[in-house]
Amino acid sequence: MKALAVELGGAHAECAVVDDQKILASQHLELDSAQGLFSVLPLFSETCRTLLKECRLSVKDCIGFSFSSCGLIDSTRGRVLSTNQKWDDAPSLDLPAWSQREFSLRLKIENDARMALLGEWYAGAARGLQDVAMITLGTGIGGAVMIDGRLLRGKHYQAGNLGGHQPVLFHGRKCTCGNLGCAEAEAAGWSLPLIVREWPGFRESGLAREPRINFEALFRLAAQSDRVAREVRDRCLHVWAAAAVGLVHAFDPEVIIFGGGVMKSAEVILPFIEDYVSRHAWTPWGKVQVRAAELGNQAGLLGAVPLLRE
Ligand SMILES: [Zn+2]
């Protein structure tokens, strides 16, 4: 079962031809969201046609077009509802109509965090499970939940999506969403440099000499016993673990999956969160498992077939 798939991020897109649990061909595109989504649609068409040709396939071989996007998504009407300061024109676009015009294919669109969970459920770390929560640690923190084998969407398509915007500190840092002390405002790629630069002793830390303050630098210097890096890293671990307990209490999953680039340090992150969740979550039935995502940035693309079959 083959499908065309696009995954749209804040500053990139991945176009692919997917065959069930495999990606047959894909192309990474660096993009600037300020140019607007409308202006890059022709690039997506052209790239998808080239990829089909490489696979010796035609659009007639595909069951549909899967579009994974950042932001809040109305998957019933096929609309982007709200993006957080990127691809500002996306809510005005009718992507299903575009796909019909370009490819004569029906298009389904879903939020990127939900697509990552769908992919992990279909072909990765959540195979065979029915009740799963996923947290994707990146520039922001994505969230998605599956209950009884179905993606949770909710009245306004926000259910489970705002896992990164759970308040972990009510007197905390102002978040981009309007709330205070969200997990993402306290421990995500965008907030990390702000937190590190305010930390007592920052100037003496190796972090002050890093060209970019990111999680890679933080975990590397923490492993070298840099005091500030260690303290900030441990604080991030607590934020993520507190958010995980929040998800357990809200959604009753059997497994929580952590994904995102930071999981290169899974050997530090997973045991900490597992221990914290087992000590602090109220789960008299047993222990919630904490697992690393398996599919990396392919997860959202591999959600294509189950999304189109839903
Ligand atoms: Zn927030």
Side-chain angles (χ1 to χ4, degrees), residues 156-307:
H156 307 100
Y157 302 93
Q158 298 188 202
N161 253 183
L162 303 185
H165 295 278
Q166 293 181 77
V168 291
L169 282 178
F170 69 84
H171 50 27
R173 186 174 292 276
K174 179 98 198 242
C175 186
T176 56
C177 72
N179 191 18
L180 299 174
C182 291
E184 127 161 12
E186 302 296 334
W190 69 262
S191 55
L192 182 68
L194 308 173
I195 293 160
V196 165
R197 287 197 186 98
E198 288 173 5
W199 204 267
F202 165 66
R203 283 161 190 281
E204 290 76 51
S205 162
L207 286 162
R209 292 182 292 281
E210 287 291 320
R212 282 189 63 209
I213 296 174
N214 54 24
F215 284 117
E216 186 279 318
L218 184 75
F219 278 80
R220 174 166 40 80
L221 289 168
Q224 295 164 11
S225 300
D226 182 285
R227 179 183 63 82
V228 171
R230 210 161 248 252
E231 289 172 1
V232 175
R233 178 200 66 185
D234 291 349
R235 185 174 180 280
C236 290
L237 292 172
H238 276 93
V239 167
W240 299 332
V245 171
L247 287 182
V248 170
H249 288 174
F251 300 111
D252 187 20
E254 54 194 316
V255 170
I256 298 190
I257 294 176
F258 275 82
V262 191
M263 292 309 288
K264 289 191 185 96
S265 301
E267 79 287 355
V268 179
I269 297 170
L270 287 184
F272 181 91
I273 293 177
E274 208 161 41
D275 177 59
Y276 188 97
V277 170
S278 82
R279 278 189 293 123
H280 297 294
W282 189 13
T283 54
W285 52 268
K287 284 187 180 183
V288 180
Q289 285 184 52
V290 182
R291 293 185 187 171
E294 289 176 7
L295 304 175
N297 51 16
Q298 298 197 330
L301 297 169
L302 289 172
V305 168
L307 180 77

Side-chain angles (χ1 to χ4, degrees), residues 72-242:
L72 296 173
I73 307 295
D74 175 343
S75 51
T76 310
R77 286 169 57 242
R79 289 283 181 161
V80 177
L81 295 172
S82 174
T83 56
N84 194 349
Q85 298 162 12
K86 19 184 199 266
W87 306 113
D88 288 340
D89 64 336
S92 68
L93 301 181
D94 185 345
L95 293 167
W98 166 77
S99 172
Q100 277 299 342
R101 270 198 316 275
E102 283 294 316
F103 300 105
S104 302
L105 285 178
R106 99 195 143 88
L107 176 144
K108 287 188 81 174
I109 177 165
E110 186 49 276
N111 162 271
D112 52 0
R114 283 202 192 106
M115 287 299 286
L117 172 52
L118 202 55
E120 292 288 345
W121 171 78
Y122 194 55
R127 250 175 307 193
L129 300 172
Q130 299 291 304
D131 298 277
V132 188
M134 181 161 173
I135 292 180
T136 306
L137 304 170
T139 308
I141 298 181
V145 174
M146 175 176 272
I147 293 180
D148 290 336
R150 295 169 67 109
L151 284 177
L152 190 67
R153 292 190 167 100
K155 173 84 176 166
H156 307 100
Y157 302 93
Q158 298 188 202
N161 253 183
L162 303 185
H165 295 278
Q166 293 181 77
V168 291
L169 282 178
F170 69 84
H171 50 27
R173 186 174 292 276
K174 179 98 198 242
C175 186
T176 56
C177 72
N179 191 18
L180 299 174
C182 291
E184 127 161 12
E186 302 296 334
W190 69 262
S191 55
L192 182 68
L194 308 173
I195 293 160
V196 165
R197 287 197 186 98
E198 288 173 5
W199 204 267
F202 165 66
R203 283 161 190 281
E204 290 76 51
S205 162
L207 286 162
R209 292 182 292 281
E210 287 291 320
R212 282 189 63 209
I213 296 174
N214 54 24
F215 284 117
E216 186 279 318
L218 184 75
F219 278 80
R220 174 166 40 80
L221 289 168
Q224 295 164 11
S225 300
D226 182 285
R227 179 183 63 82
V228 171
R230 210 161 248 252
E231 289 172 1
V232 175
R233 178 200 66 185
D234 291 349
R235 185 174 180 280
C236 290
L237 292 172
H238 276 93
V239 167
W240 299 332

